[in-house]
Amino acid sequence: MYDEPISETKEDIFMKKFKYYKSNKPKPSLRAVISIEKSSVEIANITPSEVIGDVRTEALGLKSCKEWQCYSFKTHPGLIFISNPFTNLGQRYWIRKCLEEYPRKPNKLNIDVDINIDDWWQTCYKDGQCNRQLQKKLRWTTLGYHHNWDTKVYTELNQSRFPEDLAELSDVVAQYLGYNSFKAEAAIVNYYHMSSTLSAHTDHSEVNLEAPLFSFSFGQSAIFMIGGQTKTVEPSALLLNSGDIVVMSKEARLCYHAVPRILPSTKHPWNDHNFRIPYEIPTFKYINDPKYLMTSMAENTDNSKWSKFDNYIKESRINMNVRQVLKENQKSL
């Protein structure tokens, strides 16, 4: 007897579902896509009954930790979902950071091989008009330890300073979930347009594979697929909306995952003008200039300054995924 045909069928399980959701002719049914907003037997609410508040939340564009809703998935141990803990103003802040600041040099961009520019966002508007072609060319930027897409290896010589505000944001989420020793050391910011996809892959380049991976979504919605540590495992499809956080920890840390489809968002919280402007300056762990953070956050209430970023995000999705590279107490690679 030959087992190969059965093996091939199993190997196709993840990709078949990926192609199904990616297809435009015919368009896929979204009936099986898991939505946190709708009750499901696959989802368990794991929000702690008692939560210790974190004074940093409002200054970072987050609601109080006591308002967060946290979920786990029975078929995917280690996968955690936090349903949009961001304020409307916070969403504007992080969208703008991902567009205006994070793609600046010395950070690495996918377009570096073709175009030598120091400031992608500024260059997009250097003639007073938006260069849509240049805007759409940006697919990713890397922060901190730069992921080498060819070797899949991090090195000490290939890194830049990790953004203080993103390190602080990641620390707040880590502390909430009990990952007290987590330290943000590398990030990939992905930029999706309505026809974009992200193929099936695992994140295994880090030295420390015990630490969780934090994924922050903004803008248009997406179908996020996650399976097991081989492509033979039946994947689930999860709807991600703007502000949602996905955490891949423990068993889920090395599972195959993908984004087969971007969907128009039914809500645009970044344009809800019910802004909560932070005034109290807390003590931060990583941010050296708290006043600059507060000023930057408040600037986003100005709709005339926000309009360029709104034009981008109304037809795009941004995803920041943050990871720890080194083991605890390890100082370098």
Coordinates of all heavy atoms in Angstrom, one line a residue, residues 84-169:
N84 N -10.0 44.9 21.0 CA -9.8 46.3 20.9 C -9.7 47.0 22.2 O -10.7 47.7 22.6 CB -10.8 47.0 20.0 CG -10.6 48.5 19.8 OD1 -9.4 48.9 20.0 ND2 -11.6 49.2 19.5
P85 N -8.6 47.0 22.9 CA -8.4 47.8 24.1 C -8.0 49.2 23.9 O -7.7 50.0 24.8 CB -7.3 47.0 24.8 CG -6.4 46.6 23.7 CD -7.4 46.3 22.6
F86 N -8.0 49.7 22.6 CA -7.5 51.0 22.3 C -8.6 52.1 22.4 O -9.7 51.8 22.0 CB -6.8 51.1 20.9 CG -5.5 50.3 20.9 CD1 -5.5 49.0 20.6 CD2 -4.3 51.0 21.1 CE1 -4.3 48.3 20.5 CE2 -3.1 50.3 21.1 CZ -3.1 49.0 20.8
T87 N -8.2 53.3 22.8 CA -9.1 54.4 22.6 C -9.1 54.9 21.2 O -8.3 54.5 20.4 CB -8.7 55.6 23.5 OG1 -7.4 56.1 23.0 CG2 -8.5 55.2 25.0
N88 N -10.1 55.7 20.8 CA -10.2 56.1 19.4 C -8.9 57.0 19.1 O -8.4 56.9 18.0 CB -11.4 56.9 19.2 CG -12.7 56.1 19.5 OD1 -12.7 54.9 19.3 ND2 -13.8 56.8 19.9
L89 N -8.5 57.8 20.0 CA -7.4 58.7 19.9 C -6.1 57.8 19.8 O -5.2 58.1 19.0 CB -7.2 59.7 21.0 CG -6.1 60.7 20.9 CD1 -6.3 61.6 19.6 CD2 -6.1 61.6 22.1
G90 N -6.1 56.7 20.6 CA -5.0 55.8 20.6 C -4.8 55.2 19.2 O -3.7 55.0 18.7
Q91 N -5.9 54.8 18.6 CA -5.8 54.2 17.2 C -5.2 55.2 16.3 O -4.3 54.8 15.5 CB -7.2 53.8 16.8 CG -7.8 52.6 17.5 CD -8.6 51.7 16.7 OE1 -8.4 51.6 15.5 NE2 -9.4 50.9 17.3
R92 N -5.6 56.4 16.3 CA -4.9 57.5 15.5 C -3.4 57.5 15.7 O -2.6 57.6 14.8 CB -5.6 58.8 15.7 CG -7.0 59.0 15.0 CD -7.4 60.5 15.0 NE -8.6 60.6 14.3 CZ -9.1 61.8 13.9 NH1 -8.4 62.9 14.2 NH2 -10.2 61.9 13.2
Y93 N -3.1 57.5 17.0 CA -1.6 57.7 17.3 C -0.8 56.6 16.7 O 0.2 56.8 16.1 CB -1.5 57.7 18.9 CG 0.0 57.7 19.3 CD1 0.6 58.9 19.5 CD2 0.6 56.5 19.6 CE1 2.0 58.9 19.9 CE2 2.0 56.5 20.0 CZ 2.6 57.7 20.2 OH 3.9 57.7 20.5
W94 N -1.3 55.3 16.9 CA -0.4 54.2 16.4 C -0.5 54.0 14.9 O 0.5 53.7 14.3 CB -0.9 52.9 17.1 CG -0.6 52.9 18.6 CD1 -1.4 53.2 19.6 CD2 0.8 52.9 19.1 NE1 -0.7 53.2 20.8 CE2 0.6 53.0 20.6 CE3 2.0 52.7 18.6 CZ2 1.7 53.0 21.4 CZ3 3.1 52.6 19.5 CH2 3.0 52.8 20.9
I95 N -1.6 54.4 14.3 CA -1.6 54.4 12.8 C -0.6 55.4 12.3 O 0.2 55.1 11.4 CB -3.1 54.7 12.3 CG1 -4.0 53.5 12.6 CG2 -3.0 55.0 10.8 CD1 -5.5 53.9 12.4
R96 N -0.6 56.6 12.9 CA 0.3 57.6 12.4 C 1.7 57.3 12.6 O 2.6 57.5 11.8 CB -0.1 58.9 13.1 CG 0.7 60.1 12.6 CD 0.1 61.4 13.2 NE 0.9 62.6 12.8 CZ 0.6 63.9 13.0 NH1 -0.5 64.1 13.7 NH2 1.4 64.8 12.6
K97 N 2.0 56.7 13.8 CA 3.4 56.3 14.1 C 3.9 55.3 13.0 O 5.0 55.3 12.6 CB 3.5 55.6 15.5 CG 3.5 56.6 16.6 CD 4.9 57.2 16.7 CE 5.0 58.2 17.8 NZ 6.4 58.7 18.0
C98 N 3.0 54.3 12.7 CA 3.4 53.3 11.7 C 3.6 53.9 10.3 O 4.3 53.3 9.5 CB 2.3 52.2 11.6 SG 2.3 51.1 13.1
L99 N 3.0 55.0 10.0 CA 3.2 55.6 8.7 C 4.2 56.7 8.6 O 5.0 56.8 7.7 CB 1.8 56.2 8.2 CG 0.7 55.2 8.0 CD1 -0.6 55.9 7.7 CD2 1.0 54.2 6.8
E100 N 4.2 57.5 9.6 CA 5.1 58.7 9.6 C 6.5 58.5 10.2 O 7.5 59.1 9.7 CB 4.4 59.8 10.4 CG 5.1 61.2 10.3 CD 4.3 62.3 11.0 OE1 3.8 62.0 12.1 OE2 4.1 63.4 10.4
E101 N 6.6 57.7 11.2 CA 7.9 57.5 11.9 C 8.6 56.2 11.8 O 9.8 56.2 11.5 CB 7.6 57.8 13.4 CG 8.9 57.8 14.3 CD 8.6 58.2 15.7 OE1 7.9 59.2 15.9 OE2 9.1 57.5 16.6
Y102 N 7.9 55.1 11.9 CA 8.6 53.8 11.9 C 9.2 53.5 10.6 O 10.2 52.7 10.6 CB 7.6 52.7 12.3 CG 7.1 52.8 13.8 CD1 6.0 52.0 14.2 CD2 7.8 53.6 14.7 CE1 5.6 52.1 15.5 CE2 7.4 53.7 16.0 CZ 6.3 52.9 16.4 OH 5.8 53.0 17.7
P103 N 8.7 53.9 9.4 CA 9.4 53.6 8.1 C 10.7 54.5 7.9 O 11.2 54.5 6.8 CB 8.4 53.9 7.1 CG 7.1 53.9 7.8 CD 7.4 54.5 9.1
R104 N 11.0 55.4 8.8 CA 12.2 56.2 8.6 C 13.5 55.4 8.8 O 13.5 54.5 9.6 CB 12.2 57.4 9.6 CG 11.2 58.5 9.3 CD 11.3 59.6 10.4 NE 10.1 60.5 10.3 CZ 9.7 61.2 11.3 NH1 10.4 61.2 12.5 NH2 8.7 62.1 11.2
K105 N 14.6 55.9 8.2 CA 15.9 55.3 8.4 C 16.3 55.6 9.9 O 15.9 56.7 10.4 CB 16.9 55.8 7.4 CG 16.7 55.3 6.0 CD 17.0 53.8 6.0 CE 16.7 53.2 4.7 NZ 15.3 52.9 4.4
P106 N 17.0 54.7 10.6 CA 17.7 53.6 10.0 C 16.9 52.3 10.0 O 17.5 51.2 9.8 CB 18.9 53.4 11.0 CG 18.3 53.9 12.3 CD 17.4 55.0 12.0
N107 N 15.6 52.4 10.2 CA 14.8 51.1 10.1 C 14.8 50.6 8.6 O 15.1 51.4 7.7 CB 13.4 51.4 10.5 CG 13.3 51.8 12.0 OD1 14.2 51.3 12.8 ND2 12.4 52.6 12.4
K108 N 14.6 49.3 8.5 CA 14.7 48.7 7.2 C 13.3 48.6 6.5 O 12.3 48.3 7.2 CB 15.3 47.3 7.3 CG 16.7 47.3 7.9 CD 17.8 47.9 7.0 CE 19.2 47.8 7.6 NZ 19.7 46.4 7.6
L109 N 13.2 48.7 5.2 CA 12.0 48.7 4.5 C 12.1 47.7 3.3 O 13.3 47.6 2.7 CB 11.6 50.1 3.9 CG 11.1 51.1 4.9 CD1 12.2 51.6 5.8 CD2 10.5 52.3 4.1
N110 N 11.1 47.2 2.8 CA 11.1 46.3 1.7 C 11.6 47.0 0.4 O 12.1 46.4 -0.5 CB 9.8 45.6 1.4 CG 8.7 46.5 1.0 OD1 8.3 47.4 1.8 ND2 8.3 46.4 -0.3
I111 N 11.3 48.3 0.3 CA 11.6 49.1 -0.9 C 13.1 49.5 -0.9 O 13.5 50.1 -1.9 CB 10.7 50.3 -1.0 CG1 10.8 51.2 0.2 CG2 9.3 49.9 -1.2 CD1 10.0 52.5 0.1
D112 N 13.9 49.2 0.1 CA 15.3 49.7 0.1 C 16.1 49.2 -1.1 O 17.0 49.8 -1.5 CB 15.9 49.2 1.4 CG 15.4 50.0 2.7 OD1 14.9 51.0 2.5 OD2 15.6 49.5 3.8
V113 N 15.7 48.0 -1.6 CA 16.5 47.4 -2.7 C 16.3 48.2 -4.0 O 17.1 48.1 -4.9 CB 16.1 45.9 -2.9 CG1 16.6 45.1 -1.7 CG2 14.6 45.8 -3.2
D114 N 15.2 49.0 -4.1 CA 14.9 49.7 -5.3 C 15.0 51.2 -5.2 O 15.3 51.9 -6.1 CB 13.4 49.4 -5.8 CG 13.3 47.9 -6.1 OD1 14.1 47.3 -6.7 OD2 12.2 47.3 -5.7
I115 N 14.7 51.7 -4.0 CA 14.7 53.2 -3.8 C 15.5 53.5 -2.5 O 15.3 52.9 -1.5 CB 13.2 53.7 -3.6 CG1 12.3 53.1 -4.7 CG2 13.2 55.2 -3.5 CD1 10.9 53.3 -4.4
N116 N 16.3 54.5 -2.6 CA 17.1 55.0 -1.5 C 16.5 56.3 -1.0 O 16.8 57.4 -1.4 CB 18.6 55.2 -2.0 CG 19.5 55.6 -0.8 OD1 19.2 55.4 0.4 ND2 20.6 56.3 -1.1
I117 N 15.7 56.1 0.0 CA 15.0 57.3 0.7 C 15.1 57.2 2.2 O 15.1 56.1 2.7 CB 13.6 57.5 0.3 CG1 12.8 56.2 0.5 CG2 13.4 57.9 -1.2 CD1 11.3 56.3 0.2
D118 N 15.3 58.3 2.9 CA 15.4 58.3 4.3 C 14.1 58.4 5.0 O 13.9 57.9 6.1 CB 16.3 59.5 4.8 CG 17.7 59.3 4.4 OD1 18.2 58.2 4.3 OD2 18.4 60.4 4.2
D119 N 13.1 59.0 4.4 CA 11.8 59.2 5.0 C 10.7 58.9 4.0 O 10.3 59.7 3.2 CB 11.7 60.6 5.5 CG 10.5 60.9 6.4 OD1 9.4 60.3 6.1 OD2 10.6 61.6 7.4
W120 N 10.2 57.7 4.0 CA 9.2 57.2 3.1 C 7.9 58.1 3.1 O 7.5 58.5 2.0 CB 8.8 55.8 3.4 CG 7.6 55.3 2.7 CD1 7.4 54.9 1.4 CD2 6.3 55.1 3.3 NE1 6.1 54.5 1.1 CE2 5.4 54.6 2.3 CE3 5.7 55.3 4.6 CZ2 4.1 54.4 2.5 CZ3 4.4 55.1 4.8 CH2 3.6 54.6 3.8
W121 N 7.3 58.4 4.2 CA 6.1 59.1 4.3 C 6.3 60.6 3.7 O 5.5 61.1 3.0 CB 5.5 59.2 5.7 CG 4.2 59.8 5.8 CD1 3.9 61.1 6.3 CD2 2.9 59.2 5.4 NE1 2.6 61.3 6.2 CE2 1.9 60.2 5.7 CE3 2.6 58.0 4.9 CZ2 0.6 60.0 5.5 CZ3 1.2 57.8 4.6 CH2 0.2 58.8 4.9
Q122 N 7.3 61.2 4.2 CA 7.6 62.6 3.7 C 7.8 62.6 2.2 O 7.4 63.5 1.5 CB 8.8 63.2 4.4 CG 9.1 64.6 4.1 CD 10.3 65.1 4.9 OE1 11.4 64.7 4.7 NE2 10.1 66.1 5.8
T123 N 8.5 61.6 1.7 CA 8.8 61.5 0.2 C 7.5 61.3 -0.5 O 7.3 61.8 -1.7 CB 9.8 60.3 -0.1 OG1 11.0 60.5 0.7 CG2 10.1 60.3 -1.6
C124 N 6.5 60.6 0.0 CA 5.3 60.4 -0.6 C 4.5 61.7 -0.9 O 3.7 61.8 -1.8 CB 4.4 59.5 0.2 SG 4.8 57.7 0.2
Y125 N 4.8 62.7 -0.1 CA 4.2 64.0 -0.2 C 5.1 65.2 -0.5 O 4.7 66.3 -0.4 CB 3.4 64.3 1.1 CG 2.2 63.5 1.4 CD1 2.2 62.3 2.1 CD2 1.0 63.9 0.8 CE1 1.1 61.6 2.3 CE2 -0.2 63.2 1.0 CZ -0.1 62.0 1.7 OH -1.2 61.2 1.9
K126 N 6.3 64.9 -1.1 CA 7.3 65.9 -1.3 C 6.9 67.0 -2.3 O 7.3 68.1 -2.3 CB 8.6 65.3 -1.6 CG 8.7 64.7 -3.0 CD 10.1 64.2 -3.4 CE 10.2 63.7 -4.8 NZ 11.6 63.3 -5.1
D127 N 6.0 66.6 -3.2 CA 5.5 67.6 -4.2 C 4.1 68.2 -3.9 O 3.5 68.8 -4.7 CB 5.5 66.9 -5.6 CG 6.8 66.4 -6.1 OD1 7.8 67.2 -5.8 OD2 6.9 65.3 -6.7
G128 N 3.7 68.0 -2.7 CA 2.4 68.5 -2.3 C 1.2 67.6 -2.6 O 0.2 67.8 -2.1
Q129 N 1.5 66.6 -3.5 CA 0.4 65.6 -3.8 C 0.9 64.2 -3.3 O 2.1 64.0 -3.2 CB 0.2 65.6 -5.3 CG -0.3 66.9 -5.9 CD -1.7 67.3 -5.4 OE1 -2.5 66.4 -5.3 NE2 -1.9 68.6 -5.2
C130 N -0.1 63.4 -3.1 CA 0.3 62.0 -2.6 C 0.7 61.2 -3.8 O 0.1 61.0 -4.8 CB -1.0 61.4 -2.0 SG -0.7 59.7 -1.5
N131 N 1.9 60.6 -3.6 CA 2.4 59.6 -4.6 C 1.9 58.2 -4.2 O 2.5 57.5 -3.4 CB 4.0 59.6 -4.5 CG 4.6 58.7 -5.6 OD1 4.0 57.8 -6.0 ND2 5.8 59.0 -5.9
R132 N 0.7 57.9 -4.8 CA 0.0 56.7 -4.4 C 0.9 55.4 -4.8 O 0.8 54.4 -4.1 CB -1.3 56.6 -5.1 CG -2.3 57.7 -4.6 CD -2.7 57.4 -3.2 NE -3.6 56.2 -3.1 CZ -3.7 55.6 -2.0 NH1 -3.1 55.9 -0.9 NH2 -4.5 54.5 -2.0
Q133 N 1.6 55.5 -5.9 CA 2.4 54.4 -6.3 C 3.5 54.1 -5.3 O 3.7 52.9 -4.9 CB 3.1 54.7 -7.7 CG 3.8 53.5 -8.3 CD 4.4 53.8 -9.7 OE1 4.3 55.0 -10.1 NE2 5.0 52.8 -10.3
L134 N 4.2 55.1 -4.8 CA 5.2 54.9 -3.8 C 4.5 54.4 -2.5 O 5.1 53.6 -1.8 CB 5.9 56.2 -3.5 CG 7.0 56.1 -2.4 CD1 8.1 55.1 -2.8 CD2 7.7 57.5 -2.3
Q135 N 3.4 55.0 -2.1 CA 2.7 54.5 -0.9 C 2.4 53.0 -0.9 O 2.6 52.3 0.0 CB 1.4 55.3 -0.8 CG 1.5 56.5 0.0 CD 0.1 57.0 0.6 OE1 -0.9 56.6 0.2 NE2 0.2 58.0 1.4
K136 N 1.9 52.5 -2.1 CA 1.5 51.1 -2.2 C 2.7 50.2 -2.3 O 2.5 49.0 -2.1 CB 0.6 50.9 -3.4 CG -0.8 51.6 -3.1 CD -1.8 51.0 -4.1 CE -3.2 51.5 -3.7 NZ -4.3 50.8 -4.5
K137 N 3.9 50.7 -2.5 CA 5.1 49.8 -2.6 C 5.5 49.4 -1.2 O 6.2 48.3 -1.1 CB 6.2 50.6 -3.3 CG 6.1 50.6 -4.8 CD 7.3 51.3 -5.5 CE 7.2 51.2 -7.0 NZ 8.3 51.8 -7.7
L138 N 5.2 50.1 -0.2 CA 5.7 49.7 1.1 C 4.9 48.6 1.7 O 3.7 48.7 1.8 CB 5.6 50.9 2.1 CG 6.1 50.6 3.5 CD1 7.6 50.3 3.5 CD2 5.8 51.8 4.5
R139 N 5.5 47.5 1.9 CA 4.8 46.3 2.5 C 5.3 45.9 3.9 O 4.5 45.3 4.6 CB 5.1 45.1 1.5 CG 4.5 45.2 0.1 CD 3.0 45.6 0.2 NE 2.4 45.8 -1.0 CZ 1.7 44.9 -1.8 NH1 1.7 43.7 -1.4 NH2 1.2 45.3 -2.9
W140 N 6.5 46.3 4.2 CA 6.9 46.0 5.6 C 8.1 47.0 6.0 O 8.8 47.5 5.1 CB 7.4 44.6 5.8 CG 8.4 44.0 4.9 CD1 8.2 43.3 3.8 CD2 9.8 44.2 4.9 NE1 9.4 43.0 3.1 CE2 10.4 43.5 3.8 CE3 10.7 44.9 5.8 CZ2 11.8 43.5 3.6 CZ3 12.0 44.9 5.6 CH2 12.6 44.2 4.5
T141 N 8.2 47.2 7.3 CA 9.4 47.8 7.9 C 9.8 47.0 9.1 O 8.9 46.5 9.8 CB 9.2 49.3 8.2 OG1 10.4 49.9 8.7 CG2 8.1 49.5 9.2
T142 N 11.1 46.9 9.4 CA 11.5 46.2 10.6 C 12.1 47.2 11.6 O 12.8 48.1 11.2 CB 12.5 45.1 10.2 OG1 13.6 45.6 9.5 CG2 11.8 44.0 9.4
L143 N 11.9 46.9 12.9 CA 12.4 47.7 14.0 C 13.2 46.9 15.0 O 13.0 45.7 15.1 CB 11.2 48.3 14.7 CG 10.0 48.8 13.9 CD1 8.9 49.2 14.8 CD2 10.4 50.0 13.0
G144 N 14.2 47.5 15.6 CA 15.0 46.8 16.6 C 15.9 45.9 15.9 O 16.6 46.2 14.9
Y145 N 16.0 44.6 16.3 CA 16.7 43.6 15.6 C 16.0 43.4 14.2 O 14.8 43.0 14.2 CB 16.7 42.3 16.3 CG 17.8 42.2 17.4 CD1 17.4 42.3 18.8 CD2 19.1 42.0 17.2 CE1 18.3 42.2 19.8 CE2 20.0 41.9 18.2 CZ 19.7 42.0 19.5 OH 20.6 41.9 20.5
H146 N 16.7 43.6 13.1 CA 16.1 43.5 11.8 C 16.1 42.1 11.3 O 17.1 41.4 11.2 CB 16.8 44.4 10.8 CG 16.8 45.9 11.2 ND1 15.6 46.6 11.2 CD2 17.7 46.7 11.5 CE1 15.9 47.8 11.6 NE2 17.2 47.9 11.8
H147 N 14.9 41.6 11.0 CA 14.7 40.3 10.5 C 15.4 40.2 9.1 O 15.1 41.0 8.2 CB 13.2 39.9 10.4 CG 13.0 38.5 10.0 ND1 12.7 38.1 8.7 CD2 13.0 37.3 10.7 CE1 12.5 36.8 8.6 NE2 12.7 36.3 9.8
N148 N 16.2 39.2 8.9 CA 16.9 39.0 7.6 C 16.0 38.0 6.9 O 15.9 36.8 7.2 CB 18.3 38.4 7.8 CG 19.0 38.3 6.5 OD1 18.5 37.8 5.5 ND2 20.3 38.9 6.5
W149 N 15.4 38.4 5.8 CA 14.4 37.6 5.1 C 15.1 36.5 4.3 O 14.4 35.5 3.9 CB 13.6 38.5 4.1 CG 12.9 39.6 4.9 CD1 13.3 40.8 5.1 CD2 11.6 39.5 5.5 NE1 12.4 41.5 5.9 CE2 11.3 40.7 6.1 CE3 10.7 38.4 5.7 CZ2 10.2 41.0 6.8 CZ3 9.5 38.7 6.4 CH2 9.3 40.0 7.0
D150 N 16.4 36.6 4.1 CA 17.1 35.5 3.3 C 17.6 34.4 4.3 O 17.4 33.3 4.0 CB 18.2 36.1 2.5 CG 17.8 37.1 1.4 OD1 16.7 36.8 0.8 OD2 18.4 38.1 1.3
T151 N 18.3 34.9 5.3 CA 18.9 33.9 6.2 C 18.0 33.5 7.4 O 18.3 32.5 8.0 CB 20.2 34.5 6.8 OG1 19.9 35.6 7.6 CG2 21.2 34.9 5.7
K152 N 17.0 34.3 7.6 CA 16.1 34.1 8.8 C 16.8 34.2 10.1 O 16.4 33.6 11.1 CB 15.4 32.8 8.7 CG 14.8 32.5 7.3 CD 13.7 33.4 7.0 CE 13.0 33.1 5.6 NZ 12.1 34.1 5.1
V153 N 17.9 34.9 10.1 CA 18.8 35.0 11.3 C 18.9 36.5 11.7 O 19.2 37.3 10.9 CB 20.2 34.4 11.1 CG1 21.1 34.6 12.3 CG2 20.0 32.9 10.8
Y154 N 18.8 36.7 13.1 CA 19.1 38.0 13.6 C 20.6 38.1 13.9 O 21.2 37.1 14.3 CB 18.4 38.3 14.9 CG 16.9 38.3 14.8 CD1 16.1 37.3 15.2 CD2 16.2 39.5 14.3 CE1 14.7 37.3 15.1 CE2 14.8 39.5 14.2 CZ 14.1 38.5 14.6 OH 12.7 38.5 14.5
T155 N 21.2 39.3 13.8 CA 22.6 39.5 14.2 C 22.7 40.9 14.9 O 21.9 41.8 14.7 CB 23.5 39.6 13.0 OG1 23.3 40.7 12.2 CG2 23.4 38.3 12.1
E156 N 23.8 41.0 15.7 CA 24.0 42.2 16.5 C 24.3 43.4 15.5 O 24.1 44.5 15.8 CB 25.2 42.0 17.5 CG 24.8 41.2 18.7 CD 23.8 41.9 19.6 OE1 23.9 43.1 19.8 OE2 22.9 41.1 20.0
L157 N 24.9 43.1 14.4 CA 25.3 44.1 13.4 C 24.1 44.6 12.6 O 24.2 45.7 11.9 CB 26.4 43.6 12.5 CG 27.7 43.2 13.1 CD1 28.6 42.6 12.1 CD2 28.3 44.4 13.8
N158 N 23.0 44.0 12.7 CA 21.8 44.3 11.9 C 20.7 44.7 12.8 O 19.7 44.0 13.0 CB 21.4 43.2 11.0 CG 20.4 43.6 9.9 OD1 20.2 44.8 9.6 ND2 19.7 42.6 9.4
Q159 N 20.8 45.9 13.5 CA 19.8 46.3 14.4 C 19.8 47.8 14.5 O 20.8 48.5 14.2 CB 19.9 45.7 15.8 CG 21.2 46.1 16.5 CD 21.1 45.7 18.0 OE1 20.2 46.0 18.7 NE2 22.1 44.9 18.4
S160 N 18.6 48.4 14.9 CA 18.5 49.8 15.2 C 17.8 49.9 16.5 O 17.3 48.9 17.1 CB 17.8 50.6 14.1 OG 16.5 50.0 13.8
R161 N 17.7 51.1 17.0 CA 17.1 51.3 18.3 C 15.6 51.0 18.2 O 14.9 51.5 17.3 CB 17.3 52.8 18.8 CG 16.8 53.0 20.2 CD 17.1 54.5 20.6 NE 16.7 54.7 22.0 CZ 16.8 55.9 22.6 NH1 17.3 56.9 21.9 NH2 16.4 56.1 23.8
F162 N 15.1 50.2 19.2 CA 13.7 49.8 19.2 C 12.9 51.0 19.7 O 13.3 51.7 20.7 CB 13.4 48.6 20.1 CG 12.1 48.0 19.9 CD1 11.9 47.0 18.9 CD2 11.0 48.4 20.6 CE1 10.7 46.4 18.7 CE2 9.8 47.8 20.4 CZ 9.6 46.8 19.5
P163 N 11.7 51.4 19.1 CA 10.9 52.5 19.5 C 10.5 52.4 21.0 O 9.9 51.4 21.4 CB 9.7 52.5 18.6 CG 10.2 51.7 17.4 CD 11.2 50.7 17.9
E164 N 10.7 53.5 21.7 CA 10.4 53.5 23.1 C 8.9 53.3 23.4 O 8.5 52.6 24.3 CB 10.9 54.8 23.8 CG 12.4 55.0 23.8 CD 12.7 56.4 24.3 OE1 11.8 57.2 24.5 OE2 13.9 56.7 24.4
D165 N 8.1 54.0 22.6 CA 6.6 53.9 22.8 C 6.1 52.5 22.5 O 5.2 52.0 23.2 CB 5.9 55.0 22.0 CG 6.2 54.9 20.5 OD1 7.1 54.1 20.1 OD2 5.6 55.8 19.8
L166 N 6.6 51.8 21.5 CA 6.1 50.5 21.2 C 6.6 49.5 22.2 O 5.9 48.5 22.6 CB 6.6 50.1 19.8 CG 6.1 48.7 19.3 CD1 4.6 48.6 19.3 CD2 6.6 48.5 17.8
A167 N 7.8 49.7 22.8 CA 8.3 48.9 23.9 C 7.4 49.0 25.1 O 7.1 48.1 25.8 CB 9.8 49.2 24.2
E168 N 7.0 50.3 25.4 CA 6.1 50.5 26.5 C 4.7 49.9 26.3 O 4.2 49.3 27.2 CB 6.0 52.1 26.7 CG 5.6 52.5 28.1 CD 6.8 52.5 29.1 OE1 7.8 53.0 28.7 OE2 6.6 51.9 30.2
L169 N 4.2 50.1 25.1 CA 2.9 49.4 24.8 C 3.0 47.9 25.0 O 2.1 47.3 25.6 CB 2.5 49.8 23.4 CG 1.2 49.1 22.8 CD1 0.0 49.6 23.5 CD2 1.1 49.3 21.3

